[in-house]
Amino acid sequence: GDSVTQMEGPVTLSEEAFLTINCTYTATGYPSLFWYVQYPGEGLQLLLKATKADDKGSNKGFEATYRKETTSFHLEKGSVQVSDSAVYFCALSPDKIIFGKGTRLHILP
Amino acid sequence: EPEVTQTPSHQVTQMGQEVILRCVPISNHLYFYWYRQILGQKVEFLVSFYNNEISEKSEIFDDQFSVERPDGSNFTLKIRSTKLEDSAMYFCASSRTGTGRANVLTFGAGSRLTVL
């Protein structure tokens, strides 16, 4: 069945460092791909999405490109801030959302 | 911005007790979902609901679970006789379209269930 694999956490970076969180997927058909973020004590918020191959989703300085040839949707940010500390979930959707395990990100000041 | 609201935020119950988790989806959304996240594990799909009936459910959603939309605003998840392994964060979500590339789910903040 469809599934998402993302890198294990926690990931700890210093403020202003470059961030990459890897995500690969397995799917039949052509799903939409998402990154959701969960800040401490809050629910799951949509961070960005891409609906077809080569689309780039972006929001709040984060970017991810839908790569069909490598079945990947890696999350990147050029300069992270302390406020980016959260758990990040890669997900795909033919209809319902299927989530990866989540990657906890700690940003140190 | 419209929100999905969930109550209670945290519930502690004894094994074998019934629990009802409540959700108020976004008012113009038509598709409703429950997911759960056991501590440290992935967010898992439980059930989707449309037009007053279940449209899809996972293997986790066994006879102990039921969902209901008792009025025009609430969407509830009932666990009939809780087990220790039901301890998890339960997320409600809603969406307008339900399927296709435009389908985006809006999630609530979650209800943490602790079964003792």
Side-chain angles (χ1 to χ4, degrees):
Chain A
D2 296 354
S3 66
V4 174
T5 302
Q6 60 183 106
M7 63 190 288
E8 297 276 335
V11 173
T12 303
L13 296 172
S14 297
E15 205 164 24
E16 299 183 4
F18 183 85
L19 168 72
T20 301
I21 301 178
N22 290 337
C23 171
T24 56
Y25 67 91
T26 303
T28 54
Y30 304 98
S32 295
L33 300 175
F34 306 84
W35 278 98
Y36 278 82
V37 59
Q38 184 179 25
Y39 297 105
E42 298 185 20
L44 295 161
Q45 300 176 25
L46 178 65
L47 179 61
L48 54 84
K49 69 171 185 173
T51 58
K52 60 184 188 298
D54 299 325
D55 265 4
K56 179 187 282 188
S58 61
N59 186 24
K60 299 182 182 179
F62 291 89
E63 292 182 341
T65 302
Y66 191 143
R67 300 282 188 208
K68 190 163 174 290
E69 64 277 12
T70 54
T71 61
S72 65
F73 192 56
H74 304 321
L75 182 68
E76 296 182 336
K77 186 173 185 181
S79 176
V80 292
Q81 306 300 312
V82 171
S83 56
D84 293 327
S85 297
V87 181
Y88 292 81
F89 293 90
C90 186
L92 64 81
S93 172
D95 38 52
K96 65 181 184 291
I97 301 280
I98 297 169
F99 287 92
K101 278 191 157 187
T103 303
R104 185 173 297 278
L105 175 66
H106 291 295
I107 305 301
L108 304 174
Chain B
E1 186 160 333
E3 289 184 340
V4 174
T5 56
Q6 291 186 239
T7 55
S9 56
H10 188 193
Q11 181 157 356
V12 181
T13 190
Q14 295 291 324
M15 194 168 56
Q17 294 297 302
E18 176 183 283
V19 160
I20 297 176
L21 305 178
R22 291 183 168 79
C23 170
V24 179
I26 292 174
S27 61
N28 64 350
H29 285 189
L30 302 175
Y31 297 82
F32 314 112
Y33 310 81
W34 283 100
Y35 285 76
R36 79 170 185 193
Q37 183 184 26
I38 295 172
L39 188 63
Q41 298 187 26
K42 68 166 65 176
V43 180
E44 302 171 293
F45 169 77
L46 292 179
V47 66
S48 58
F49 190 87
Y50 169 70
N51 201 26
N52 279 320
E53 59 183 30
I54 291 173
S55 46
E56 188 176 354
K57 61 182 181 179
S58 70
E59 291 175 355
I60 303 166
F61 195 88
D62 61 21
D63 292 344
Q64 293 297 315
F65 291 90
S66 62
V67 289
E68 193 177 34
R69 189 152 161 83
D71 52 43
S73 58
N74 289 284
F75 179 51
T76 62
L77 175 69
K78 183 193 289 186
I79 308 174
R80 221 177 313 277
S81 176
T82 50
K83 304 188 282 285
L84 295 176
E85 53 266 37
D86 294 328
S87 295
M89 180 74 91
Y90 288 82
F91 291 104
C92 175
S94 67
S95 71
R96 233 168 11 97
T97 61
T99 188
R101 295 184 182 279
N103 189 32
V104 175
L105 274 63
T106 302
F107 284 84
S111 293
R112 181 170 297 285
L113 176 64
T114 302
V115 182
L116 303 176

